[in-house]
């Protein structure tokens, strides 16, 4: 950080010595400086603000609340409402929007639960798993993965210090209830002894 400050100071002295009244376009400081001929030049504000994060920090993470992280395998019936809730840890820069969806490897499908949802300190969504509600490939009796990520980033983006890492750790099962089938008359007869 000190090197950047020294470099900037040298640039300012070079500008003053040259008698220029204009600041370089890439200058990011604000305030006023004295030009060599006694005039005052106002520096331009940067077009975008960036926050600096210590690169030694890890990326922000998600900790599930529902289902509980200590819970054993979770299974949900297709057609029911499924609730997911989570907290964030180690976030320095909060994402503006969050995407939440579920994927299934068996049919290579993804099911959007919430797109561009506003960031809340505790996130939660309710997924309506009725076939007509999903509007995509039918849900199978299979294993699914919950994905939560910063909507402004790609799901496969490399995690950055202080920013949200894509969450893909929760795996759960979905099943379709089967109609009742009577076993009357279908049982094998056991021999008498």
């Amino acid at each position: 950080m000190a090197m950047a400050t020294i470099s900037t100071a040298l640039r300012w002295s070079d500008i003053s010595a040259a008698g220029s009244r204009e600041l370089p376009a890439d200058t990011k400081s604000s305030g006023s400086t004295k030009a060599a001929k006694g005039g005052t030049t106002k520096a331009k504000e940067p077009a975008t603000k960036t926050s600096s994060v210590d690169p030694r920090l890890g990326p922000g993470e998600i900790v599930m609340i529902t289902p509980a992280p200590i819970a054993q395998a979770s299974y949900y019936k297709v057609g029911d409402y499924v609730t997911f809730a989570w907290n964030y840890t180690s976030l320095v820069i909060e994402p503006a929007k969050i995407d939440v969806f579920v994927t299934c490897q068996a049919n290579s499908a993804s099911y959007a639960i919430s797109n561009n949802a506003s960031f809340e300190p505790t996130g939660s969504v309710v997924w309506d798993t009725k076939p007509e509600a999903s509007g995509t490939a039918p849900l199978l009796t299979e294993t699914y993965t919950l994905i939560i990520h910063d909507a402004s980033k790609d799901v496969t983006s490399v995690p950055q210090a202080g920013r949200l890492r894509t969450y893909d750790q929760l795996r759960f099962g979905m099943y379709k209830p089967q109609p009742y089938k009577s076993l009357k008359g279908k049982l094998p007869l056991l021999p008498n002894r």
Side-chain angles (χ1 to χ4, degrees):
M1 195 62 124
M3 286 298 278
T5 306
I6 292 169
S7 172
T8 304
L10 288 175
R11 254 196 264 152
W12 284 108
S13 64
D14 292 344
I15 292 168
S16 295
S20 173
R21 291 186 177 267
E22 302 226 358
L23 299 175
D26 65 339
T27 302
K28 295 203 178 199
S29 69
S30 61
S32 56
T33 70
K34 285 281 189 183
K37 299 203 178 186
T40 302
T41 305
K42 183 80 172 166
K44 295 180 181 176
E45 290 291 328
T48 59
K49 292 184 179 182
T50 58
S51 298
S52 62
V53 176
D54 186 347
R56 296 174 292 178
L57 293 176
E61 301 284 344
I62 286 179
V63 177
M64 293 305 295
I65 299 170
T66 306
I70 59 171
Q72 294 188 2
S74 298
Y75 298 94
Y76 303 102
K77 183 169 70 172
V78 172
D80 284 352
Y81 291 95
V82 180
T83 300
F84 299 107
W86 61 91
N87 279 327
Y88 300 94
T89 63
S90 306
L91 271 183
V92 177
I93 300 172
E94 296 175 350
K97 303 285 183 179
I98 298 292
D99 283 345
V100 181
F101 61 97
V102 169
T103 62
C104 177
Q105 281 189 324
N107 63 356
S108 300
S110 63
Y111 305 88
I113 299 173
S114 178
N115 289 324
N116 278 334
S118 296
F119 176 84
E120 297 290 334
T122 298
S124 69
V125 293
V126 176
W127 181 28
D128 183 357
T129 65
K130 290 183 188 83
E132 59 276 2
S134 69
T136 57
L139 293 167
L140 306 175
T141 298
E142 257 318 320
T143 301
Y144 293 79
T145 303
L146 177 69
I147 310 282
I148 305 170
H149 76 102
D150 182 343
S152 69
K153 308 277 184 202
D154 190 57
V155 174
T156 59
S157 294
V158 176
Q160 297 175 330
R163 294 183 182 271
L164 183 62
R165 172 195 312 258
T166 297
Y167 176 82
D168 62 357
Q169 301 303 307
L170 178 65
R171 297 203 177 18
F172 59 93
M174 296 292 294
Y175 68 93
K176 291 182 182 179
Q178 299 299 313
Y180 173 77
K181 290 183 183 178
S182 173
L183 296 177
K184 188 175 182 180
K186 308 243 180 187
L187 294 175
L189 296 174
L190 299 174
N192 291 334
R193 289 191 191 199

